[in-house]
Amino acid sequence: MQLTSRMFLGYFCDNTLVGCVHYTRCLKPNGVHRAEVEKLLVHPQYQRQGIASALMQSLECEATKQGIELLILDTQTGDNSEKFYQTINYIKCGEIPHFVRDSNGLFFSTSYYFKKLLSTS
């Protein structure tokens, strides 16, 4: 069975997976042009080496090839990831307070971002 609604990409150093990213396409008829970046992870030992940027660039390239024109994502408000997404031209479009709770029971907001991709047609 081919999984056509998800794209997974990994980054390897010396045959070791050190980073990954994936998106899920919207399956609604009015949303086939968009996908949600659901997780971007880079092992702490390999952070700040351009791996996250390379993964996102590859993901955007593959998404464009698949006809996706809009990527959306969310991240914890105030986290360093917000600066990263802004650096790679994602636009913040809002926040939802009280969105996630950590293991200590503290609540945090999430920020939503989007990026319009260049169409290949």
Side-chain angles (χ1 to χ4, degrees), residues 48-114:
R48 301 206 178 275
Q49 297 179 28
I51 294 171
S53 295
L55 283 166
M56 289 300 291
Q57 185 176 17
S58 294
L59 180 133
E60 292 170 9
C61 182
E62 289 301 317
T64 301
K65 288 178 187 176
Q66 292 186 10
I68 294 172
E69 299 173 27
L70 178 69
L71 290 174
I72 61 170
L73 60 86
D74 71 282
T75 192
Q76 185 173 313
T77 303
D79 190 75
N80 286 337
S81 58
E82 281 201 278
K83 294 174 192 163
F84 168 73
Y85 291 121
Q86 291 168 7
T87 299
I88 61 169
N89 300 315
Y90 280 74
I91 300 168
K92 185 173 181 175
C93 57
E95 288 182 25
I96 300 176
H98 226 69
F99 193 77
V100 295
R101 183 171 28 190
D102 70 8
S103 59
N104 296 318
L106 298 173
F107 288 96
F108 296 92
S109 298
T110 195
S111 296
Y112 278 88
Y113 286 82
F114 73 92

Side-chain angles (χ1 to χ4, degrees), residues 5-70:
S5 64
R6 294 184 186 267
M7 169 67 67
F8 292 87
L9 297 171
Y11 193 100
F12 291 83
C13 287
D14 298 322
N15 293 322
T16 300
L17 180 66
V18 298
C20 63
V21 65
H22 84 272
Y23 71 69
T24 302
R25 292 185 75 129
C26 181
L27 298 177
K28 297 176 184 176
N30 67 351
V32 297
H33 66 287
R34 70 178 186 259
E36 181 176 357
V37 179
E38 293 190 345
K39 195 58 71 177
L40 170 63
L41 299 168
V42 177
H43 187 282
Q45 184 178 335
Y46 293 88
Q47 291 177 359
R48 301 206 178 275
Q49 297 179 28
I51 294 171
S53 295
L55 283 166
M56 289 300 291
Q57 185 176 17
S58 294
L59 180 133
E60 292 170 9
C61 182
E62 289 301 317
T64 301
K65 288 178 187 176
Q66 292 186 10
I68 294 172
E69 299 173 27
L70 178 69

